[in-house]
Amino acid sequence: NDSLRTWQRFYERHKSHDSRLMAWEIEFADRFIRPGDDVLLIGCGSGRDLLPLVERNYRVTGIEPVGAALDIARGMLAERGLSAALIEGFFEDASIVGAFDAVIFSYYCYAVIPQSRTRVTMLRKAAGVLKTGGHIVVSVASNTPRPNRILLRVGQLSSIVCRSNWQLEPGDLVWNNREGHPSYSYTHPFTAGEIQHEVRAAGLTVVSQRQADDNTIVTVVSHR
């Protein structure tokens, strides 16, 4: 799809990056994951958080739909003598083998999944591969502006006219990437209450939720 092609071009142009965990990611790992634990990282990209998780002696499986991003991650792992299982594809479509002590939606990736019902389905799938006592973490930026209601309604009417199977929901943002050809990006700015609603809709429980120093809303979820 268009989003996949946009990210493919991005990673083809940006072949290097910092590999580090943010402060709240370190806190989550220290509290909920032990050395040797199995971790599923959804939206692992080119390895920004993948590599340091492997370096903490977790058994990491990363899933990412953009092949160019995984190529970078493989190269970075090889340079450091590290290994991780990497799956190319979308989490909602991929066959995930095994069970995990932690399932991490990599920073921001939850917010670029269109439609609430799809996100709820993905939370249920994540719970389905979670070991007893395991945890899921979802992180979204809390300082993204929400769209004008009139523009949202125009977008919804456009979807009806075009007979699209996807319709904008309150809060959705879509913008033109200005690349000289049709190219658009999507995100959903969340409130803390919206995340809790989707977690409950998936039949799961919020263990903790807080706003980190970088304005990230960090939500930890379990079966309980």
Side-chain angles (χ1 to χ4, degrees):
N1 59 33
D2 182 64
S3 177
L4 187 61
R5 289 192 295 271
T6 298
W7 281 108
Q8 179 78 18
R9 289 191 294 269
F10 172 84
Y11 284 113
E12 287 171 351
R13 295 193 301 264
H14 301 83
K15 295 185 178 296
S16 63
H17 66 281
D18 292 330
S19 296
R20 60 182 178 84
L21 296 178
M22 291 178 273
W24 61 263
E25 291 174 315
I26 294 172
E27 291 173 13
F28 169 79
D30 287 344
R31 180 177 175 186
F32 293 106
I33 314 175
R34 297 167 297 183
D37 276 358
D38 294 290
V39 176
L40 177 63
L41 181 60
I42 300 169
C44 66
S46 57
R48 193 273 305 169
D49 43 357
L50 175 79
L51 272 72
L53 290 172
V54 175
E55 288 173 333
R56 291 173 71 99
N57 295 316
Y58 306 147
R59 293 194 293 264
V60 182
T61 297
I63 181 164
E64 166 63 44
V66 183
L70 289 180
D71 289 341
I72 297 171
R74 290 188 187 96
M76 298 285 286
L77 287 165
E79 286 177 11
R80 302 186 188 193
L82 303 172
S83 63
L86 299 178
I87 302 170
E88 183 174 345
F90 289 97
F91 175 61
E92 57 265 42
D93 301 324
S95 176
I96 307 296
V97 177
F100 300 88
D101 300 282
V103 177
I104 301 172
F105 284 85
S106 186
Y107 176 64
Y108 197 69
C109 83
Y110 191 78
V112 299
I113 303 168
Q115 297 191 300
S116 178
R117 68 173 183 268
T118 302
R119 294 189 294 267
V120 170
T121 297
M122 291 178 71
L123 284 173
R124 289 179 181 143
K125 183 171 182 177
V129 297
L130 200 64
K131 293 180 183 178
T132 301
H135 295 86
I136 301 166
V137 65
V138 173
S139 57
V140 298
S142 65
N143 54 357
T144 306
R146 294 174 74 86
N148 182 288
R149 291 184 180 180
I150 295 175
L151 294 178
L152 172 66
R153 186 56 181 158
V154 169
Q156 290 173 331
L157 291 173
S158 297
S159 296
I160 294 171
V161 170
C162 296
R163 298 182 179 180
S164 172
N165 59 1
W166 171 46
Q167 184 155 133
L168 290 172
E169 297 175 339
D172 285 353
L173 278 173
V174 178
W175 63 94
N176 191 329
N177 290 321
R178 302 179 185 274
E179 292 193 356
H181 55 83
S183 176
Y184 299 90
S185 291
Y186 164 91
T187 189
H188 181 86
F190 280 91
T191 65
E194 282 183 286
I195 300 172
Q196 292 178 2
H197 174 77
E198 292 186 358
V199 168
R200 289 194 296 268
L204 303 170
T205 301
V206 173
V207 173
S208 68
Q209 185 178 72
R210 70 180 185 88
Q211 186 164 317
D213 292 339
D214 62 358
N215 290 319
T216 301
I217 299 174
V218 182
T219 307
V220 180
V221 180
S222 78
H223 285 295
R224 295 202 308 259

